[in-house]
Amino acid sequence: MKQFISVKDVSLINELVAKALAYKKQPLLHKNLGVGKRIGLLFLNPSLRTRLSTQIAAQNLGMEPIVFNVDKEGWALEFNEQAIMNGTTVEHIKDAAPILGQYFDILCIRTFPGLVNQSEDYSENIIHQFIKYTGIPVISLESATLHPLQSLTDIITIQEIMTAQPLVTKKPKVVLTWAPHIKSIPQCVANSFSEWVNAWGEADFVITHPAGYELDEKFTKGATITQDQNEALAGADFVYVKNWSAYHDYGKVLSTDDSWMLTNKKLATSNHAKVMHCLPVRRNVELSSEVLDSANSIVTQQASNRVWAAQAVLSEILNALK
Ligand code: CP
């Protein structure tokens, strides 16, 4: 693996999942693989799980991680190729990135979308410039449109639960349901989860959302899409709860309808569905406390699996660097 910015960088999803679950059993299995290698974790936006799990994963492989909160501690970066830099930006990515490429063996970046200019966000200009100008492998810690480490974690968690509690039916019914939120939230997690579940191909995948919340079809193609949440939840084995802002009416909050919040009553028709969320979650807005605090919720297991997803990806990239 040369980089990790989307599911397209993975040749066999199930092999990567198996590798992650092997690391979960034996975290120090390859404790010397990354000795002498340095990994940079650049954050242009906040994080709890991604930052800590990726550091732990790197350390389990013997790497030295360095975290840099670029947004708070670095120079303001310019990404416009033709910029006349007489404004607020101080350093061009063309000057900064090659230096990062000298300091590190692998570079990880978190860069959220602006949610104002759709074509700019969906071009993934920022992460692509890091790839172009660092010259080293780049891992997305969530970019403008995708969150691949989260999605790999999500597949690992579904697979782990299905191995522990096999279903009568061959394929699980996996439902991605839109949830209300007070703010404009990126489409990344929903896009990425859709892309990964579709590429994995081992689930009956249903997406449900109110009118106006259709995602980019390039990620959802292959899923069943319905605006009837109750119909979607019937017989569900896994329910992934997530808010996203509108894709077509870009970045807008079109609804805060709290009837879309998942409750135990809504889950009654599911197949004792396991409930997932990438976290952080706004309790009793996106997801009711009664569900989050119930035995159905697997959000902590899901977040803990972030370590093994990151470790599997780092391991693949380190092997490619040999
Ligand atoms: N799920 C996730 O990416 O969490 P953080 O934003 O805390 O890293």
Side-chain angles (χ1 to χ4, degrees):
M1 191 187 291
K2 302 268 187 259
Q3 62 178 23
F4 186 75
I5 60 167
S6 86
V7 74
K8 294 185 184 71
D9 296 309
V10 179
S11 45
L12 294 166
I13 293 175
N14 279 337
E15 279 192 11
L16 199 57
V17 169
K19 187 167 200 165
L21 290 170
Y23 282 135
K24 184 166 186 170
K25 282 204 181 101
Q26 220 179 328
L28 302 182
L29 182 64
H30 297 136
K31 65 180 185 197
N32 294 320
L33 182 63
V35 169
K37 302 279 188 213
R38 197 176 295 123
I39 181 169
L41 287 85
L42 266 62
F43 287 87
L44 282 79
N45 307 95
S47 167
L48 186 153
R49 283 142 289 268
T50 307
R51 169 188 312 240
L52 299 175
S53 61
T54 311
Q55 281 185 79
I56 295 166
Q59 286 169 340
N60 283 346
L61 294 167
M63 300 187 83
E64 183 193 353
I66 294 180
V67 176
F68 183 21
N69 299 312
V70 187
D71 57 334
K72 296 182 190 72
E73 297 153 7
W75 299 115
L77 291 172
E78 176 63 57
F79 293 92
N80 181 351
E81 192 79 27
Q82 308 302 332
I84 297 167
M85 290 174 57
N86 58 2
T88 52
T89 55
V90 178
E91 182 160 33
H92 203 284
I93 188 69
K94 283 167 96 166
D95 303 313
I99 299 163
L100 300 172
Q102 296 291 311
Y103 292 164
F104 299 114
D105 299 285
I106 297 174
L107 190 68
C108 306
I109 299 148
R110 168 164 283 200
T111 166
F112 287 173
L115 290 178
V116 175
N117 183 329
Q118 187 188 58
S119 60
E120 190 176 300
D121 289 344
Y122 273 69
S123 74
E124 290 283 11
N125 178 44
I126 293 181
I127 201 157
H128 284 132
Q129 291 207 49
F130 275 105
I131 291 168
K132 184 174 173 186
Y133 293 120
T134 56
I136 57 171
V138 168
I139 294 176
S140 166
L141 299 177
E142 187 169 347
S143 65
T145 67
L146 294 170
H147 195 354
L149 279 175
Q150 179 65 55
S151 310
L152 172 58
T153 303
D154 301 334
I155 302 282
I156 290 165
T157 308
I158 292 170
Q159 184 61 64
E160 182 180 39
I161 284 174
M162 289 207 308
T163 304
Q165 302 160 30
L167 295 168
V168 178
T169 51
K170 194 169 173 286
K171 283 187 172 183
K173 181 175 180 182
V174 175
V175 177
L176 169 63
T177 179
W178 181 91
H181 203 290
I182 58 160
K183 281 176 60 183
S184 178
I185 298 291
Q187 295 101 37
C188 311
V189 170
N191 283 344
S192 199
F193 185 69
S194 302
E195 177 177 70
W196 278 75
V197 175
N198 281 328
W200 187 43
E202 299 199 11
D204 288 328
F205 185 35
V206 179
I207 303 172
T208 184
H209 55 71
Y213 280 95
E214 294 74 16
L215 293 161
D216 186 343
E217 204 187 332
K218 82 176 174 205
F219 302 117
T220 60
K221 202 170 173 27
T224 302
I225 299 171
T226 172
Q227 291 177 12
D228 184 337
Q229 190 190 37
N230 290 326
E231 177 190 276
L233 294 173
D237 298 297
F238 294 88
V239 178
Y240 202 114
V241 180
K242 187 72 186 89
N243 171 268
W244 62 88
S245 57
Y247 167 69
H248 291 289
D249 200 355
Y250 193 60
K252 297 281 187 322
V253 176
L254 305 176
S255 167
T256 52
D257 180 358
D258 62 9
S259 73
W260 275 81
M261 183 178 75
L262 195 67
T263 58
N264 282 338
K265 192 172 170 203
K266 279 178 177 277
L267 278 176
T269 59
S270 75
N271 184 26
H272 308 287
K274 302 292 184 196
V275 176
M276 306 175 74
H277 189 289
C278 62
L279 303 180
V281 64
R282 286 188 181 244
R283 280 178 173 250
N284 301 315
V285 176
E286 281 179 87
L287 189 45
S288 64
S289 279
E290 64 172 12
V291 173
L292 272 166
D293 297 335
S294 75
N296 294 74
S297 170
I298 56 167
V299 297
T300 305
Q301 178 180 351
Q302 189 184 352
S304 73
N305 283 338
R306 292 293 306 270
V307 173
W308 320 117
Q311 194 164 335
V313 168
L314 287 174
S315 170
E316 289 291 304
I317 291 180
L318 285 168
N319 278 320
L321 284 176
K322 276 183 185 169

